[in-house]
Amino acid sequence: MCHHCDYKSLLEQSGLGASENRLSVLEVIGNNSYPLSAGDIFKTVERHSAINRVTVYRILDVLVDHGIVDRISTGGRAFYYGLAPNSHHQPHSHFYCKHCGQMDCLNPESLSVDANLLKKTFPGRIDKVEVRVDGICKNCIK
Amino acid sequence: MCHHCDYKSLLEQSGLGASENRLSVLEVIGNNSYPLSAGDIFKTVERHSAINRVTVYRILDVLVDHGIVDRISTGGRAFYYGLAPNSHHQPHSHFYCKHCGQMDCLNPESLSVDANLLKKTFPGRIDKVEVRVDGICKNCIK
DNA sequence: AATTTTAATGCAAATTTTTTGCATTAAAAG
DNA sequence: CTTTTAATGCAAAAAATTTGCATTAAAATT
Ligand SMILES: [Mn+2]
Ligand SMILES: [Mn+2]
Ligand SMILES: [Zn+2]
Ligand SMILES: [Zn+2]
């Protein structure tokens, strides 16, 4: 849940029209405390307003392209989506439970990554360093 | 390319029958210097011996389940497969080029991850910490 | 060696997730 | 008000993976 982000201006600052659908998708993502799959997002938006599944995919693409939302890989075969790091959200890694498929955001302090050396020596463009922890969550472990 | 691994005994040590197909799949993965997709592996094995695509998927599953092979997520929608860390291969992270889809293995020293604090405090089971760097490779950047 | 049991494979079809093409509607610009 | 552009919907396709079931090969028993 983000109380700091103004979704409408997040869109407008990127030159994107703040359509009803885009706002709904972004709110679902931003109001959730962990990343969601496109299917989850579709089902949630759909409960309140009519929307097509393809529209959700297209909105997710445009939000990812504009750096508003992060596309996060899982140990499964669907991507999950969460707010991209910004002034209110520092970068952090995620935990993926391979039993129930739930993702959790991990405390940035609990896991540290140092990519400085790589960034200096890598002969290509680096856009993102994604860290994902896979295992079984505390609910499923019982 | 791994000159140290004896694929046949890797299989047998895990209690897996060393069938022709399993050996072929494991050799293709082990002899390659970067991770490959199931489709790549299928096409490569197929050139020398007849094999069904589904068999490749099933062999990959069994190799991953037994910790012989690592299933590696990409920024795209297919998994890639590489030899799992063992006495001859230390754990390392990977680079994924979102233009050509090629993965590279990164030097373990170029990127350091410290998951000790997480492992102490996380209320679940941690099986794997995957680090993936996304961007554009030196060939595609031109 | 013949028989029974288990493991591995093939093939067809289904599933899941994502993408594309094209028509329609809504919004913005002129 | 008209023209242009952006957003959406719907149907279909594509890509990756999974499932069910039959067949074959290998291993274990008798
Ligand atoms: Mn998060
Ligand atoms: Mn590797
Ligand atoms: Zn779980
Ligand atoms: Zn490339």
Side-chain angles (χ1 to χ4, degrees):
Chain A
M1 281 255 223
C2 184
H3 307 290
H4 305 94
C5 292
D6 176 352
Y7 302 125
K8 194 155 177 290
S9 44
L10 264 182
L11 289 170
E12 284 163 355
Q13 279 161 30
S14 298
L16 293 174
S19 74
E20 192 68 34
N21 283 338
R22 284 180 180 163
L23 274 170
S24 301
V25 167
L26 191 48
E27 277 165 18
V28 167
I29 294 172
N31 293 345
N32 212 65
S33 59
Y34 50 88
L36 296 168
S37 71
D40 292 336
I41 295 165
F42 169 65
K43 274 182 275 174
T44 307
V45 172
E46 204 191 18
R47 283 208 299 266
H48 300 287
S49 58
I51 190 171
N52 188 277
R53 176 176 250 109
V54 178
T55 303
V56 172
Y57 278 113
R58 280 196 280 235
I59 288 173
L60 289 171
D61 283 346
V62 88
L63 294 178
V64 169
D65 283 349
H66 286 78
I68 299 171
V69 159
D70 243 9
R71 171 178 284 129
I72 302 164
S73 71
T74 68
R77 59 195 164 102
F79 291 116
Y80 281 34
Y81 298 85
L83 281 191
N86 62 37
S87 40
H88 309 118
H89 303 278
Q90 45 179 322
H92 57 272
S93 50
H94 295 95
F95 175 83
Y96 175 75
C97 173
K98 49 189 166 192
H99 185 260
C100 65
Q102 164 111 348
M103 274 208 140
D104 288 320
C105 299
L106 296 175
N107 187 312
E109 284 107 57
S110 66
L111 195 102
S112 74
V113 195
D114 181 5
N116 286 321
L117 182 56
L118 181 73
K119 280 179 180 158
K120 277 183 205 139
T121 55
F122 187 76
R125 196 181 83 200
I126 291 179
D127 292 328
K128 185 188 177 189
V129 177
E130 185 183 296
V131 180
R132 195 191 63 249
V133 180
D134 287 343
I136 308 283
C137 76
K138 66 172 193 293
N139 299 319
C140 292
I141 214 167
K142 293 172 209 158
Chain B
M1 275 262 220
C2 185
H3 307 289
H4 304 95
C5 292
D6 175 352
Y7 301 126
K8 193 155 176 290
S9 44
L10 264 182
L11 289 170
E12 285 163 355
Q13 278 161 30
S14 297
L16 293 173
S19 74
E20 193 66 35
N21 283 338
R22 283 180 181 164
L23 274 170
S24 301
V25 167
L26 190 49
E27 275 166 19
V28 168
I29 294 172
N31 292 346
N32 212 66
S33 59
Y34 50 89
L36 297 168
S37 71
D40 292 336
I41 295 165
F42 169 65
K43 273 182 276 175
T44 307
V45 172
E46 205 193 15
R47 282 207 301 266
H48 300 287
S49 57
I51 190 171
N52 188 277
R53 176 176 251 108
V54 178
T55 303
V56 172
Y57 279 113
R58 281 197 278 233
I59 288 174
L60 290 171
D61 282 346
V62 89
L63 294 178
V64 169
D65 283 350
H66 286 77
I68 299 171
V69 159
D70 243 10
R71 170 178 282 131
I72 302 163
S73 71
T74 68
R77 58 190 161 107
F79 292 117
Y80 281 35
Y81 298 85
L83 280 190
N86 62 37
S87 40
H88 308 117
H89 303 278
Q90 46 180 321
H92 56 272
S93 49
H94 294 95
F95 175 82
Y96 176 76
C97 173
K98 48 188 166 192
H99 185 260
C100 65
Q102 163 111 351
M103 273 207 140
D104 287 320
C105 299
L106 296 176
N107 187 312
E109 283 106 58
S110 66
L111 200 119
S112 75
V113 197
D114 181 5
N116 285 321
L117 182 55
L118 182 72
K119 282 179 180 158
K120 276 181 205 137
T121 55
F122 187 77
R125 195 181 85 201
I126 292 178
D127 293 326
K128 185 187 176 190
V129 178
E130 184 183 296
V131 181
R132 195 190 63 247
V133 180
D134 287 343
I136 308 284
C137 76
K138 65 173 195 292
N139 299 318
C140 291
I141 213 166
K142 294 173 207 159

